[in-house]
Each structure stands twice: as structure tokens, then as C-alpha cells.
Amino acid sequence: MSSLASFAPFSVVELLRYNPPDPTHSISTPNQPPRTPPRQHSSVLGLGLGSSSSNLTSALLSATGSTPARSVITSVELCDANLYVGTSDGYLLHYILDRAELSGGNVAEPSSDSGVERMHHIKTSPGAGKRPLDSLLAFPTESKMVVFSDSTVTFLELDTLRQVPPVMCMPVKQTVCFCADKIVQSPVPLTFARRRMLLAGYLGDMLEMEKELPITDGPVVMMVRHGDRICAADQHMYKLIFLGSGETIPLFPYDRSLQRPLAAAYSDGEFLLVTATPQGGGLGMFVSQNGEPVRGTLEWPAIPKSLAFQYPYVTALLANNTIEVHNLVNQQLMQKLAFPSGFTSHSMVEATFDLELGTYGPGDGGTIRILVAGGDAVLGIKMAPLRRQIDWLMESDSIEQAIELAEHVSLGQPQEYSNSKLQDLYRRAGLIYLERMLFDQALNMYKKAELDPAVLMEMFEPRELTTSPSTSGEDTTAPGTAKSVGAMIDARVANSETGLDGKALLVAARVMLQSYLLHVRATCSPTDPRLELIDTSLLELYAENPDPTSLYAFVLARNHVPIDTAVTLLQSAQRFYAQSLLMKAHERHEDALRLWQQLAVKDLNDPEFPGVKIVPKYLESVNDKELVLETLTWLLDIDAQLAVQSLMDQVNVFFRFSSGEVSDHLRRHSRAAYLLYLEHLVNERGDKTETYHTELAVSYIEHISRLDAVAAESIELEKQYSSLQSRPPFEVFLWRVQNEASDDTRTALLPVRAKLIRFLQDSESYDSIAVLAALDAVDVGLKFERALVLGRGDDHEAVLQIYLSLGDHIGAERYCLSQPGDVGTKLIARLLALFLAAGDSMALPVHDLLTRHHALTNLTSVLEDLPPHWSLSLVGDYLVSAMRVSRAEFTEKRIVKNLARGEHFKIQSKLSSIVHATQPIELKHSDTICIVCGKPIPDPPAPFAARFFPAPGITHVHCR
């Protein structure tokens, strides 16, 4: 491939070699019919002149009477094939260019009738003489030519080059400079700068002035316009003028001693301003239409004299008589142009209307927009066809620039045509990026190309290279014409000097394919027939990806892969858990659960399987009672606690199991699970059913009986307990042994006994007879548990005997105190009797019992029962405590009795006061009976004294 240095979008073409008119011939003007001279050839490229040079020179001589200065070109304008030339002696020359010869790029002798020349002498003012034409602007939409000469803007008819009548277009005098709007529109907006004001108007059939803006900071010497913004320069400063509001924004100064101001406007509303460096170079600064810096900076080795723009290039005519071409987008220098020997340029302009050159003969066409004027020649800067530039850029590896250029070209073409061309280019670029392992860039190109996903997927199939993608004229992305991605990676790794990882590249390539398929999938309609192929390929890619996240999300979501195809793919990739999720998504619950069972028991192997913990959650949404029970049955063998917990939670949205159903099922299939379920019912749900409580206790006992050497271990525990000098309660001893045991010494007995003891202490609903029968049946030495059950049956004597046989004196004492009322007092006395009956060995327990519970004993009876040989010091504490209690009780009784007597006297005194304060009453009727004696009170009129009582009725005064 060629390098970017060989990329040459522009070439120099000579349009006109100017020979001044012969003074001996007359001048042809629009106002005077020309004299027909003999037809002669000129050196104009491919053109003949309507009048010979000798006739022109002769006419000039006769008009002035002397030999004039040599005429030179001062201004040029191009409008399609029409070339307009302004001269230093005030003539405007019109040439019609030959496209065929310009397209070929060579100078050819014209035929006798190949062209026409028209000339017009512009007089700027009566008696002012001939003045050079400084600039020309042609407006074919308005059929007008604008000529600027000697501070006057004059308007001509474009077809005839006659001056437009002043009544229609009055010449604008005292003009410093003028400009037209860069935005092509009709009528044409024009702006004229005078020393102290700006004039803005429109040129259509007439010239109409719209606005005047005063200038307060010096005359404008240069300006360009885009819309209602004008980028202008005064004697020292660049500035931005808003025509609508009249506002002016200063931009930055320039040094007039080094340069003349220069700016250019571009179609997107930006301005390029030139400033000089002290070293004689030039800098180009881009500003937006609001005066803000944009893009980068252009640099030139010499100060530019003129600027021109032809997308995507900025062309600058430099003071060193060369042209430099920069890319507008990235500010990269693209080309340097040199002029033919002997040619000296003085200006460069953009054509109003481009000259499009077709393909004629050996040439390849192109476009001429930029003209360079010299004193005796006009050169055209021909830009190669953009399609050819795109090919050059692609061949020189400047793919981004080629794409950007192609996208710009497509804007001016029919959409169907431009889309087709662009997509071909995107596919080419994508393949190049893919061969270079630039997967992100390749993905972006394929997205823009809207590449058929089947084509890209075929590239991931191994096959031999049949046609070189860089040299073949065929579609390099069509099946059978491109390397497989595997072959590209192998070639890249083989040619690499840094040791590339082929596996990593293949993974990255698959990620690119996956991303593209997802992109296409997101843009497809739901009925697109390609979706099945896309989704099948995505599933295959996900199945080969070690990270399962995307695979699980895909199989759980709606997709277009036939389920049989998906199962085959997942099985071949051994992604069994993903297969189960696929079954779940399709509500094939039995298949999903069967896969989970096989994974749990290791019939199938998938390290991504999270375990059977996911089963209960899934069962919540299964509307099949038999399937749920079947699943829980095999789950019982793997994790009984998890299965039971599922039955405990009962959160299925379709049905619920009764406690009886669950317990019957568990009893048949797993005794351990049944035990767990009973614990849940009793301990967590607080079920008081006697059957469940009894079965739970019996289950604990049976569990203990099935343990190895349980009887011997129980006896050993009792011996350890008996050997303690200071014995805590037996149950506390058991907890302590269990907690202090290491992993090597801990046995299975203690945890189960702890559960049984806690249950027997807390539960009040079990059948004590059935539990005692279970204890008798196993006979493994569970004395303490038997005591707890016997205590439920109020067999206090047997309980106390068990505690004494264990040596658990504190436990026996606690049992006595736990009984209500006098029963506890009697049991304390009975426990004391049992201690005394055991002989002198129980002297210390007797001492402790009497000391702690002296208030519950009868001192006289205790003294009678104590052995006579026991020393006073042994029972001294008890006697002191008992005497204190007895004395306290006697004192308390006397105090209470005296307080009661005093209260009685107070009440009697108060009642007596009430009786004496009550006045007798007279009764006038004899039907009242005394409520004390029952005798009638005498009839009136004999008065009889009586009194009322709080109770209903009255009594005689003497009755008390």
C-alpha cells in the first residue's frame, strides 16, 4: 500500500494564458457592435478569442494616443464553465472553458470555433480613466455580475455584461470592501463597508438596502459573512459583527506591519482567521459563529495571502508562492502544491459555481472551485473526484479520513445511492479493521454498513482464503471471499513480534460478533425471520463464554431459538444449569427439577449450579402438588433441613399442605426430617397438639437409643458428676460438658439429650405416660429425663429418689421449691428426711438445706429428727436463723393484734358518735315494724320516738 504522503487530492491546471490586446485593433464592447476581425488562435486553454490580441492593442493605442502600460490580470471569477477575468486596465474578459480538455489535464490547441471572448470596458467615473478591476462576483441565480473597482461596486448583467440600469441597481460608491453571504440564497445578501458605516441589503432583480450600521472604532478593511454574522477586521483588530443586533465582539488583534488581515467563512458557520508570527509564519485560528475558539490551529511556513475552502480541505496561498492544503477536520497537512516555472500568483478565490469535469478520455474528471490568478495566467486547482480520494485514503490506511470524506459526499447524493456506496465502504473498512484485530472499530463499521449478520457469522467458520480482500474487486465480505476470523488471528499471531495471545484475540473477536448480533437484534422487528439465526448464534456464543451472566439472562428472557435446538447447544457445551433455566423459562417444571436433581447427586456436572438451595424458591410457583411432593422427597435425601424448611414456610401461591399431610409424608420417607418438622411445629409455630408433643419426645428418646454406646456414656457422665466436689445441678453439668468438649471429644449424645431435656422442661402438652413408656423401653440410663417426666405426674417421691441417686441435691431442692403452696413445704421436709435417713454422709447437704430454708421447717420437729450425736456447731446456723424467724413471727403477731384492737376501738367510737347525733322522728302511722325487735311502732296520735338506720327501715330508740 502507498503511504499518505502520496495522497494528492489536488492538481494544478492552467486555465488561461493571458495575452494583452493588440492596440492596433478596436475594442468590442456591449454598447458598440464589434468589428469582425480575422479569426485567430490564442493561448487560452482550449479557447479561441472573439477578437485578436493585435486588434485589442491597436484599439488601446488609438484610444490613448500613446503606448499604454502592459495590461495584467487583477481579478478572476468562475461560474461553471464561464471564466471571467478582470484586468488592470479596466476590462472584463469572459471565456468559455472546454471541459474535455480540462478533464484530461493537458493544454490543447483549440479549434477555430471552440470558444468565445467578450470584453467590456468599465468606467468607474467620467473622466477618471481606466482603473483595475479589484474583484468579481458572479451570481447566476440573479443573472448579475458584481464588479469592485476604484472604491465603487458596479452591477452588470451576467449574460451580456451590460451595466444594470442605475434605477435598478445603483452603483455603491465610497466602498472600502464588500462581501456576499456564504449561504447561497436568493435574493443574495450583500454587505458594503464604508469608512464610517456598514450597508446591508439584498441583490435580486434590484438592489435593495435594508440596514445601516455605524462604525465607531475605525473603518473595516476586510470582511466575510455567514448568515447574520460578519467576521471583519479594522486597522488593528479582528471582530465579529451581528447584523441583527448591531453588537460587536472583539476577537484578537493582528500586526499590520507583518500582514494584511485575512479571514474565510465556511458552510457550517465557522470562521478561519489568519495571524502572523514574528518569525514570518502564519497561524490559522478557527472561531465559531459566537466568537468561541473551536477545532485546532493551522500552521503555515509563510503568511497566507488568500484562503479557499473545498470540503474537507482548507487551501492557503502563501507569500512564498506555494499552496498548502490542510484537512479541516483534523488540521493535518495533506498536500503542498507548486506552480509552473515563471508563474507568480497574487490572489486566490473560490468560484461561485464549481466547474464539474466529467470523465473524458484518459482523465478521471474532478472539480475546479479554486482559482489562482497571476499577472498573465489563471490556474485552476482541480480536486480529484471524491470517490478517487476515498480509494487513495483506503489504500494509504487512512480509513477514518476516507470514511469521513465518504459521509460528506453522501450528503449531496440520492439517499438510496449514497447508502449503498457508504455501506460498501463501511464493509471494506470493517474487514480491514478485523484483519488488524481492531475489533471495536470493525464493530462500528459493520453497524454503519448494516451488514447481514449471516455474513459476519460465516466469517467465524474456518475456511481457506480464496480471494485476497485487499486486492479483489469483489465484495470482500461475501461468503467465500474473506478469510475466516480464525485464519486472520493465526496470521496475525504468526507475523507478530511481540507474542500475541491467539486465544485472547479469539475471545475479543467473539465479543465483537456478540455485540453486533445484539445491535441487529435490538433494531429488528419482532417478525424478522433473521431473529432465529441471530438468537441461535448468540446462545452459542454465550454458551462458550466462561462468564454465565449473559447466558442466564438470555435463556430466561424471551428469545427465538427453538427449544430443541437450544437444548442440544447447551448440552454439547455442558451448560446443564443454563438448560434447567431454559426449562424454567418455558414452564417445563418437571424437566427443570429433574436436571437439578441430577446436578445435585452429581449425575451431571456443572460448576455453575448453585446447589439445592434454589429448589424451595422455585417450588413456590409450581402448580402441581404431586410434583412438589416428589421433589421434596428426593430433596429430603440431600438436605433434609432445607426440605423441611420449605414445608414449614408453606409459601406456594397455588396451594398449601396441611400439617397432617406433611407429617404423614415425612414419617413415611424420613424419620430425621419428621423430627425436624415436629420441632418446627412445636418450637416455632407453638402448636399445642398433644400428639405432636408426645411424638417429638419419643423421637428424641428413640434417636438417643440408636446412638452407639449410649448406656455406657450415660453411666460415665453420672460417674463424672458424682466425682465432683462441688456439684451444680445435673442439667447445668450436662450443658457445661457439651460446651467444653472439643471437636475430637464431642459425642452425638449430649446435643440430643440437651434437646430432650429442654423440651421436657418447657412442654406441658406431651403424654407423660407414653413418654415414660418410651424411656422404659430403651433403658439407656436417662435418669434425669425420667425425673422430669415423673414430675409431670406428681410422683414426687420417685423424683426425689432419682435426684438423690444422681447426687443432684440442688436439683432436688429446686424441684421441691417449684411445687406450689404447701406441697413445696412438705417436699422440703420430705427431702430433709431422706437426707437424714442417708446417715452422717449427708450432714453437709442437711446443713445447707436447713440454712437456706429454715423458714419452711418446724424447729421442734427438726430438733427431734436430728441425730443426737451431731455437734451444735453443725446446726448452729440453722438454730440461730430459726430462732430469729420464730421471734420475728411472734413479734409480728403481737403488733398486728394490737393494731387491730386499736382500729376496732376507733370504729366503735365513730359509730357511737353517729348514733347519738341522729335525732328521733315521729311516726303518724302504725304499720311500721322495728327492724331490731320486730314489734310494731305505736299508732298515732300517741307519738313514739324512732330513728333511721343506713339499712332500710327504722328502729325503737331503746333498741340497739
Side-chain angles (χ1 to χ4, degrees), residues 794-797 800 812-813 815-834 849:
D794 294 336
D795 191 351
H796 306 306
E797 183 68 21
L800 293 178
E813 184 179 332
Y815 175 76
C816 296
L817 295 176
S818 66
Q819 302 304 313
D822 294 340
V823 177
T825 303
K826 294 178 180 179
L827 288 178
I828 288 292
R830 178 57 185 159
L831 180 61
L832 177 62
L834 292 174
L849 180 65

Side-chain angles (χ1 to χ4, degrees), residues 148 151 153 172-179 190-200 209 213 215 218-223 230 232-233 241:
F148 181 50
S151 302
V153 178
V172 182
K173 299 182 179 182
Q174 301 179 3
T175 302
V176 178
C177 60
F178 82 104
C179 65
L190 293 176
T191 307
F192 307 91
R194 290 178 172 171
R195 292 188 60 82
R196 299 189 180 275
M197 71 172 60
L198 292 181
L199 301 177
M209 294 300 181
L213 292 178
I215 299 176
V220 170
V221 297
M222 183 282 308
M223 62 180 178
I230 291 179
I241 301 173

Side-chain angles (χ1 to χ4, degrees), residues 526-728:
T527 59
D528 194 317
R530 299 179 299 170
L531 284 174
E532 180 178 334
L533 177 61
I534 291 173
D535 283 1
T536 302
S537 300
L538 281 172
L539 179 59
E540 185 175 1
L541 289 171
Y542 289 145
E544 295 173 354
N545 189 350
D547 184 2
T549 306
S550 300
L551 174 62
Y552 296 161
F554 183 80
V555 298
L556 287 172
R558 180 179 179 274
N559 60 70
H560 298 80
V561 185
I563 188 166
D564 293 338
T565 303
V567 169
T568 302
L569 284 173
L570 293 172
Q571 286 180 347
S572 62
Q574 296 188 342
R575 307 303 289 267
F576 300 110
Y577 178 58
Q579 180 184 345
S580 70
L581 295 181
L582 180 67
M583 298 297 103
K584 176 182 176 181
H586 286 78
E587 296 186 355
R588 292 172 56 168
H589 306 303
E590 186 174 357
D591 293 334
L593 291 169
R594 186 181 299 110
L595 282 168
W596 286 352
Q597 180 184 8
Q598 293 173 326
L599 289 168
V601 299
K602 302 302 181 182
D603 290 342
L604 297 176
N605 185 30
D606 188 343
E608 301 298 334
F609 178 57
V612 294
K613 62 184 179 182
I614 63 174
V615 175
K617 182 66 177 179
Y618 181 49
L619 293 179
E620 296 175 8
S621 57
V622 176
N623 188 14
D624 186 338
K625 203 169 187 178
E626 294 300 323
L627 178 60
V628 172
L629 279 178
E630 179 185 344
T631 303
L632 290 174
T633 300
W634 61 257
L635 186 60
L636 285 171
D637 298 332
I638 299 172
D639 192 334
Q641 187 169 2
L642 183 64
V644 173
Q645 187 63 46
S646 177
L647 291 168
M648 294 174 188
D649 295 339
Q650 289 280 330
V651 292
N652 191 287
V653 296
F654 301 106
F655 55 83
R656 295 182 66 84
F657 294 105
S658 66
S659 299
E661 288 179 304
V662 176
S663 59
D664 291 343
H665 184 78
L666 295 178
R667 188 185 296 112
R668 290 194 302 269
H669 292 90
S670 173
R671 190 69 185 177
Y674 179 57
L675 177 60
L676 289 174
Y677 184 67
L678 289 178
E679 289 179 339
H680 165 72
L681 291 177
V682 172
N683 299 330
E684 297 182 20
R685 291 175 55 177
D687 195 312
K688 300 298 182 182
T689 304
E690 182 180 294
T691 302
Y692 294 150
H693 282 249
T694 302
E695 289 188 358
L696 181 57
V698 172
S699 297
Y700 285 144
I701 295 170
E702 292 176 350
H703 187 186
I704 292 173
S705 67
R706 290 192 295 271
L707 297 176
D708 295 334
V710 61
E713 187 175 348
S714 298
I715 294 173
E716 181 63 26
L717 286 172
E718 292 177 8
K719 289 182 179 179
Q720 292 180 18
Y721 181 71
S722 300
S723 64
L724 297 177
Q725 294 295 328
S726 176
R727 290 192 292 271

Side-chain angles (χ1 to χ4, degrees), residues 244-263:
S245 62
E247 180 185 1
T248 299
I249 298 178
L251 297 178
F252 53 84
Y254 68 94
D255 190 345
R256 195 173 183 186
S257 64
L258 298 177
Q259 67 166 113
R260 63 180 181 85
L262 180 61

Side-chain angles (χ1 to χ4, degrees), residues 391-461:
D391 291 339
W392 283 340
L393 290 170
M394 292 291 288
E395 292 170 4
S396 62
D397 291 350
S398 301
I399 300 174
E400 293 83 357
Q401 295 182 29
I403 295 298
E404 184 178 357
L405 185 59
E407 290 173 344
H408 171 72
V409 173
S410 67
L411 297 178
Q413 296 181 352
Q415 183 174 3
E416 181 177 354
Y417 174 80
S418 64
N419 287 348
S420 175
K421 295 295 184 181
L422 272 177
Q423 287 174 356
D424 289 342
L425 183 63
Y426 291 146
R427 284 193 286 269
R428 288 177 57 194
L431 184 58
I432 293 173
Y433 282 134
L434 193 58
E435 289 179 333
R436 298 176 184 175
M437 305 294 110
L438 301 176
F439 300 112
D440 290 340
Q441 292 88 331
L443 173 62
N444 187 41
M445 290 298 102
Y446 285 140
K447 286 181 179 179
K448 291 184 176 182
E450 299 179 2
L451 182 68
D452 185 352
V455 175
L456 187 58
M457 285 185 285
E458 286 186 9
M459 295 177 65
F460 282 79
E461 299 294 334

Side-chain angles (χ1 to χ4, degrees), residues 88-334:
S88 60
D89 54 356
Y91 286 99
L92 176 61
L93 309 177
H94 175 202
Y95 299 88
I96 299 177
L97 304 178
D98 189 330
R99 297 176 189 270
E101 297 198 16
L102 289 176
S103 179
N106 56 350
V107 179
E109 281 296 319
S111 61
S112 60
D113 56 352
S114 62
V116 176
E117 176 187 286
R118 294 179 184 173
M119 294 177 289
H120 182 69
H121 182 201
I122 304 279
K123 293 184 178 179
T124 57
S125 60
K130 300 176 182 179
R131 295 290 186 266
L133 305 187
D134 298 321
S135 62
L136 306 175
L137 281 180
F139 299 107
T141 57
E142 315 304 328
S143 297
K144 298 290 191 300
M145 169 70 75
V146 181
V147 179
F148 181 50
S149 175
D150 196 23
S151 302
T152 300
V153 178
T154 307
F155 304 92
L156 308 178
E157 296 287 351
L158 188 61
D159 296 334
T160 64
L161 297 185
R162 296 177 183 272
Q163 184 173 349
V164 178
V167 69
M168 302 293 292
C169 295
M170 177 66 70
V172 182
K173 299 182 179 182
Q174 301 179 3
T175 302
V176 178
C177 60
F178 82 104
C179 65
D181 194 347
K182 188 70 174 180
I183 302 174
V184 178
Q185 55 183 301
S186 181
V188 179
L190 293 176
T191 307
F192 307 91
R194 290 178 172 171
R195 292 188 60 82
R196 299 189 180 275
M197 71 172 60
L198 292 181
L199 301 177
Y202 291 91
L203 176 62
D205 294 336
M206 302 177 59
L207 176 64
E208 299 179 6
M209 294 300 181
E210 178 189 31
K211 181 179 291 188
E212 294 182 1
L213 292 178
I215 299 176
T216 59
D217 48 359
V220 170
V221 297
M222 183 282 308
M223 62 180 178
V224 290
R225 176 174 174 176
H226 189 283
D228 65 342
R229 268 87 166 166
I230 291 179
C231 181
D234 55 26
Q235 301 290 341
H236 307 285
M237 178 76 68
Y238 285 109
K239 54 190 174 182
L240 200 60
I241 301 173
F242 296 82
L243 288 177
S245 62
E247 180 185 1
T248 299
I249 298 178
L251 297 178
F252 53 84
Y254 68 94
D255 190 345
R256 195 173 183 186
S257 64
L258 298 177
Q259 67 166 113
R260 63 180 181 85
L262 180 61
Y266 301 109
S267 57
D268 55 359
E270 296 178 7
F271 299 98
L272 174 60
L273 287 69
V274 175
T275 183
T277 64
Q279 293 77 21
L283 293 178
M285 303 178 65
F286 292 93
V287 297
S288 69
Q289 58 183 351
N290 295 320
E292 300 168 347
V294 292
R295 302 186 187 273
T297 302
L298 298 181
E299 296 185 11
W300 297 285
I303 300 173
K305 296 191 293 184
S306 301
L307 294 175
F309 169 72
Q310 190 167 4
Y311 191 87
Y313 306 110
V314 176
T315 305
L317 175 62
L318 305 183
N320 60 7
N321 205 37
T322 61
I323 287 180
E324 286 194 357
V325 180
H326 287 79
N327 187 295
L328 175 67
V329 178
N330 57 21
Q331 295 80 55
Q332 181 180 358
L333 177 63
M334 304 300 297

